[in-house]
Amino acid sequence: MTETYDLVIRSRRAVLPYGERPAAVAVRNGRIAAIEEADAPLTAAAEVDLGDIALLPGLVDTHVHINEPGRTEWEGFATATRAAAAGGVTTVVDMPLNSLPPTVNVESLAVKQAAARGAVHVDVGFWGGAIPGNVADLRPLHEAGVFGFKCFISDSGVPEFPPLSPERQYEAFREIASFDGLVIVHAEDPAALREPAAGDYASFLESRPPSAERSAVEQVIRVAEQTGVRAHIVHLAAADALEPLAKARSRGLRVTAETCPHYLTLTAEDVPGPDATAFKCCPPIRDAGNREELWNGLADGVISCVVTDHSPCTPDLKRGDFATAWGGVSSLQLGLSAVWTAARARGHGLSSVVRWMAEGPAALVGLNGDGARRKGRIALGYDADLVAFAADASHVVDAAALHHRNPVTPYAGRSLRGVVQATWLRGEIVDDTPRGALLNR
């Protein structure tokens, strides 16, 4: 009896877990039901032949600040997830801060979920937050389905999400370890930070030196070893911190790290002047030599994933100079093409980009196992989250044409390689109708 599928997508460049090759991917009930030769005779209600357009798994971005509710004028679930889909991202995990209230207890998680329900174009999960005084809320948040816990050890930039002192950090890590949770850390040592001496980029860079990241990473490693917690360093910018991370990895400690497209593609030398505050983020974008060392860290596996840290705000908060403007880079729609542009120039293929931007983030949050949702690969039984990616095409970034709520990005005017032509979420094309689901761990 001939099997019938809901959808078959054929491509001569399907990026599969074992490499790039021609394939036909068949979908039934939102899952990948078969992977056959590209010209295999398959019966389906709908069929798409991409030819030489690459077929990728949907990307998983585990570091996105959506900011709703409370600061929805900065971003929002509808705009952020539409931008995600346009950039080939089919799953995002929302950060617990910059929204009001922050996601630091079960009640605030329910508020966040209510704001997202029915508004999302891709699947959305949530991080919880670890702040002073909420240790008793961590286990209930874990049981309510958050994917882990974000904390700062330096100022977060918003008063409602204060940092953890070393003592509070140990207390939170120990509690999270007790239920084998995951803690993700903004690692900059406050003792090494200072206010910029002036408003230019060099002064801002000097105010947040690489030593601040390295000493904070070393502290996280120490506390992780003492408590046994799974710890993950977010948005690693300083290559100096790769050495202690590599040593921790060689000792079998469960400490991992991510970096971001802007640290892999932009440099301090690219910043044109003190009013180019679209480039401002914390930790800062460093020099070209540092960028190349981050690429080496990716190639060596010390850095396990690349996610955007999409952290937008309203244009007025970006006015001024590097001493006064809000820090955060908006790139959710652009991360894939930015990373592919730079990766291709360094001899990396699409399989590597998929490993860093889909498989790695999915593994970090446990979306690659036997649960109800399996993400980040074109493989049997996984969600049919798929992307048609014209890897050889190029485009010039027009900030005003992006789906982000506010047209501010350091990539404006840059020529990038790779264009997302279509995105499917569980086998359905993503369009202006929200079809995303809310995910639990």
Side-chain angles (χ1 to χ4, degrees):
M1 185 179 190
T2 302
E3 290 200 72
T4 301
Y5 301 100
D6 302 322
L7 172 68
V8 169
I9 304 176
R10 302 178 192 271
S11 170
R12 286 191 282 273
R13 297 187 66 183
V15 182
L16 307 178
Y18 42 86
E20 185 179 322
R21 70 167 179 84
V25 177
V27 179
R28 185 188 293 120
N29 297 327
R31 301 279 180 113
I32 296 172
I35 302 171
E36 304 289 350
E37 296 299 320
D39 57 356
L42 300 169
T43 303
E47 183 168 319
V48 177
D49 190 343
L50 297 177
D52 291 326
I53 302 300
L55 182 65
L56 315 183
L59 304 189
V60 178
D61 193 337
T62 53
H63 196 145
V64 180
H65 294 268
I66 293 179
N67 305 333
E68 185 177 5
R71 292 189 175 99
T72 309
E73 69 276 12
W74 292 19
E75 191 58 278
F77 284 105
T79 51
T81 57
R82 191 68 183 88
V89 177
T90 52
T91 303
V92 302
V93 186
D94 174 55
M95 282 290 159
L97 72 156
N98 296 351
S99 56
L100 293 169
T103 314
V104 294
N105 52 43
V106 171
E107 293 76 20
S108 57
L109 173 64
V111 171
K112 180 78 71 83
Q113 290 170 325
R117 194 166 288 114
V120 295
H121 295 272
V122 302
D123 288 355
V124 177
F126 302 93
W127 294 107
I131 63 172
N134 84 324
V135 168
D137 294 299
L138 300 179
R139 185 181 291 270
L141 273 168
H142 177 77
E143 293 171 348
V146 300
F147 284 90
F149 300 90
K150 172 75 175 288
C151 72
F152 283 72
I153 55 178
S154 57
D155 181 36
S156 73
V158 290
E160 67 274 4
F161 204 95
L164 297 176
S165 66
E167 296 78 14
R168 297 279 195 175
Q169 186 183 343
Y170 179 86
E171 184 182 33
F173 281 26
R174 183 178 58 188
E175 173 66 9
I176 295 166
S178 73
F179 49 78
D180 197 30
L182 172 65
V183 63
I184 63 174
V185 187
H186 180 125
E188 289 183 286
D189 182 354
L193 304 178
R194 58 184 182 274
E195 291 297 316
D200 60 293
Y201 193 73
S203 296
F204 173 64
L205 200 56
E206 289 171 4
S207 75
R208 306 186 90 95
S211 60
E213 288 191 72
R214 177 165 180 146
S215 61
V217 166
E218 290 171 337
Q219 178 186 333
V220 171
I221 291 170
R222 284 194 299 272
V223 181
E225 186 169 22
Q226 292 165 0
T227 60
V229 78
R230 288 188 297 141
H232 180 75
I233 305 299
V234 298
H235 51 48
L236 184 73
D240 284 1
L242 291 171
E243 181 184 9
L245 284 165
K247 288 181 177 177
R249 187 166 168 258
S250 70
R251 290 162 50 209
L253 296 180
R254 298 191 297 170
V255 181
T256 56
E258 70 190 35
T259 194
C260 304
H262 43 281
Y263 300 130
L264 294 171
T265 62
L266 306 176
T267 69
E269 295 90 337
D270 294 328
V271 180
D275 61 345
T277 55
F279 288 82
K280 182 178 179 180
C281 55
C282 301
I285 296 164
R286 304 192 186 279
D287 62 38
N290 180 89
R291 178 186 63 185
E292 298 313 308
E293 288 301 312
L294 291 178
W295 278 103
N296 292 338
L298 261 180
D300 294 342
V302 179
I303 300 172
S304 60
C305 50
V306 179
V307 291
T308 61
D309 187 15
H310 178 69
S311 186
C313 65
T314 51
D316 61 295
L317 294 177
K318 280 291 191 182
R319 294 185 192 128
D321 57 28
F322 283 94
T324 59
W326 174 263
V329 168
S330 296
S331 63
L332 184 55
Q333 188 171 333
L334 301 169
L336 172 57
S337 54
V339 172
W340 171 234
T341 301
R344 175 180 172 141
R346 290 164 175 79
H348 299 289
L350 282 173
S351 291
S352 294
V353 173
V354 164
R355 185 171 69 252
W356 300 327
M357 302 189 77
E359 293 181 8
L364 174 69
V365 295
L367 285 173
N368 63 338
D370 297 325
R373 290 277 170 250
R374 302 176 77 186
K375 307 284 190 181
R377 290 184 175 185
I378 299 178
L380 295 179
Y382 275 64
D383 283 0
D385 298 345
L386 301 163
V387 178
F389 185 60
D392 297 325
S394 61
H395 63 104
V396 175
V397 176
D398 176 4
L402 299 175
H403 291 280
H404 308 156
R405 185 176 294 279
N406 295 295
V408 179
T409 178
Y411 293 100
R414 286 181 171 262
S415 179
L416 298 178
R417 182 77 69 164
V419 175
V420 173
Q421 292 196 339
T423 301
W424 291 266
L425 180 69
R426 294 188 300 281
E428 291 192 66
I429 199 78
V430 178
D431 54 23
D432 292 332
T433 301
R435 296 189 181 90
L438 303 188
L439 304 178
N440 289 326
R441 177 189 42 77

